[in-house]
Amino acid sequence: MTSREVSEKILDFDTSLPVLLFKIGRYPIHHGIVGVIRSLGRAGIPVTAITEDLLTPASVSRHLKRRIVWTPDVYSDPAQVIERLVVIGQKIGKKPIVVCTDDEAATLVAEASDTLRETFTLPDPLPGLVRSLASKRGLNELCRSADVPTPYTLFPKSNAELEALIDEIQFPIVVKNIEPWQRIRTPEVPGTTLIQTPAELLERA
């Protein structure tokens, strides 16, 4: 099989179903969003993206069919966000697939799927599954319950509990915010953070 035949085989998608890229918050420079637009757009799939403005890398991609300037965030009224998503989906037509590019968007869409399914093509996950997957605690519990290898993880609820556990911890460690909404509203750390020593961990706590 020639490289051209391989390429044509890979790009043999159903191009009749459009895609809407949806995210919560402002992050105009995001390689994943651009990658989705380029991959699907080059395959002939009509892609609509929600963007911060008309000059983001996603907005100016030649593989994007339509851009919608809108910046819902974690402080937006979820009911209003869902209402606008329905309007956007109706304008696109053909029950587009929603591709969420962050945990907050995925959780919102999953938990409003009964309303959104009339307008969009959506999967049907078990209730609470998406929120569990987006939660560091929930994902850890799911992995352990299914005997899937996962890093040793602790969720201390107080400084006293952390101090009691400090001898069990092998440094360096990675510290993350636990829940998808909390990581933006009230972050404990700015993002994935490497901690080198017990003293540094206790100081941050």
Side-chain angles (χ1 to χ4, degrees), residues 176-187:
K176 296 184 177 184
N177 294 295
I178 297 176
E179 303 297 337
W181 300 95
Q182 166 256 339
R183 72 187 179 106
I184 298 176
R185 285 176 176 157
T186 54

Side-chain angles (χ1 to χ4, degrees), residues 19-150:
V19 166
L20 172 66
L21 296 185
F22 173 53
K23 63 189 182 70
I24 296 285
R26 293 185 64 89
Y27 42 97
I29 309 300
H30 191 279
H31 66 277
I33 294 173
V34 175
V36 173
I37 293 169
R38 293 185 66 181
S39 297
L40 299 183
R42 289 172 64 188
I45 296 171
V47 180
T48 298
I50 292 169
T51 65
E52 290 80 356
D53 56 53
L54 298 176
L55 296 176
T56 66
S59 291
V60 299
S61 173
R62 67 180 184 274
H63 301 291
L64 187 67
K65 179 177 181 180
R66 181 188 292 108
R67 59 201 53 75
I68 296 171
V69 177
W70 179 31
T71 52
D73 59 30
V74 295
Y75 302 102
S76 301
D77 181 345
Q80 293 181 358
V81 174
I82 296 304
E83 183 178 337
R84 179 146 189 203
L85 275 176
V86 169
V87 172
I88 291 170
Q90 290 171 342
K91 289 182 178 179
I92 296 172
K94 298 184 179 180
K95 296 192 71 172
I97 295 173
V98 181
V99 175
C100 297
T101 56
D102 56 36
D103 292 340
E104 290 75 21
T107 303
L108 184 67
V109 168
E111 294 178 354
S113 60
D114 288 346
T115 299
L116 293 173
R117 190 167 285 110
E118 296 179 8
T119 308
F120 296 97
T121 300
L122 299 173
D124 190 20
L126 294 172
L129 177 61
V130 173
R131 185 174 286 269
S132 293
L133 293 172
S135 162
K136 300 299 181 288
R137 186 196 306 271
L139 180 59
N140 180 262
E141 291 173 352
L142 286 171
C143 288
R144 294 174 64 181
S145 67
D147 292 327
V148 174
T150 185

